[in-house]
Amino acid sequence: IKNAGNRPSRYFKDLKKAFPKLTTKQISAIIGNLDHESKGFTEFYEQGVRIGGEGDAQWTATRRDAFREFVEENDLNPKSYEASRDFLIYELNNDRTHGFVNWKGFDSFNDPSKSVEELAVIFEDRYLRSKEKRLARRKKLAKDYYTEFSARSREE
């Protein structure tokens, strides 16, 4: 978290604005996954593969193509925070496979009894669908962000 710059805080604020009903736990689960995918928000391109993912969520294959098209249509710098944020929000709002529109009212992702670690697994499974899940790391990052964001909200 210490090396992630200000992207996590910006995501927290922007996701809360785009989806006001999301809780700190849910947003932390999302940001923990994005942190994992982009190696602490430091890698735009997926490492170790010839043609891999791009952006904070490491969108791959047809989703990478959709990301590139979205960036071009909206005149965004593909490596910018705004490009990843705007495409993430766009997909969550509109994508019939990966977006919230396919999650039946958020069902288990909207269950307040779920831990942030469980929510991180749900988000990975439904939105990212990674080939190599590495769930322990995703869960740890989500928990760390939840601890940080919860402490900040108590201070405010």
Side-chain angles (χ1 to χ4, degrees):
I1 292 176
K2 291 179 180 153
N3 298 325
N6 67 351
R7 279 192 182 203
S9 295
R10 291 176 77 188
Y11 269 116
F12 186 87
K13 181 178 80 76
D14 293 340
L15 287 170
K16 191 67 173 168
K17 183 178 178 183
F19 305 102
K21 292 183 180 181
L22 286 182
T23 65
T24 299
K25 269 197 283 188
Q26 290 169 311
I27 294 172
S28 298
I30 293 169
I31 295 170
N33 270 289
L34 296 176
D35 181 303
H36 172 78
E37 289 293 324
S38 63
K39 296 190 185 324
F41 299 99
T42 63
E43 298 291 339
F44 174 75
Y45 295 108
E46 184 177 3
Q47 302 299 301
V49 294
R50 191 164 146 0
I51 300 175
E54 293 179 357
D56 288 343
Q58 297 293 297
W59 292 286
T60 307
T62 58
R63 290 174 82 191
R64 179 186 55 239
D65 296 340
F67 171 67
R68 289 178 180 176
E69 185 178 317
F70 180 88
V71 165
E72 191 172 308
E73 287 174 0
N74 292 280
D75 196 28
L76 296 167
N77 173 347
K79 293 183 180 180
S80 71
Y81 163 76
E82 291 77 14
S84 283
R85 176 206 58 205
D86 291 357
F87 187 68
L88 172 70
I89 291 170
Y90 173 80
E91 269 204 330
L92 289 172
N93 274 320
N94 299 291
D95 188 279
R96 293 280 174 207
T97 303
H98 303 95
F100 289 154
V101 293
N102 191 40
W103 291 19
K104 306 273 193 248
F106 293 106
D107 56 29
S108 59
F109 192 72
N110 205 33
D111 180 347
S113 71
K114 298 282 186 202
S115 70
V116 68
E117 294 94 342
E118 290 171 308
L119 294 173
V121 172
I122 292 167
F123 188 79
E124 189 290 323
D125 183 56
R126 296 200 184 152
Y127 181 76
L128 295 165
R129 299 180 180 182
S130 306
K131 185 176 178 183
E132 294 184 30
K133 303 213 179 281
R134 295 190 170 93
L135 294 176
R137 174 114 175 99
R138 293 173 192 279
K139 290 193 267 187
K140 180 190 180 321
L141 287 165
K143 186 175 181 181
D144 290 348
Y145 280 115
Y146 181 59
T147 299
E148 181 178 323
F149 293 136
S150 295
R152 282 188 201 173
S153 67
R154 282 192 298 274
E155 293 169 4
E156 294 172 354

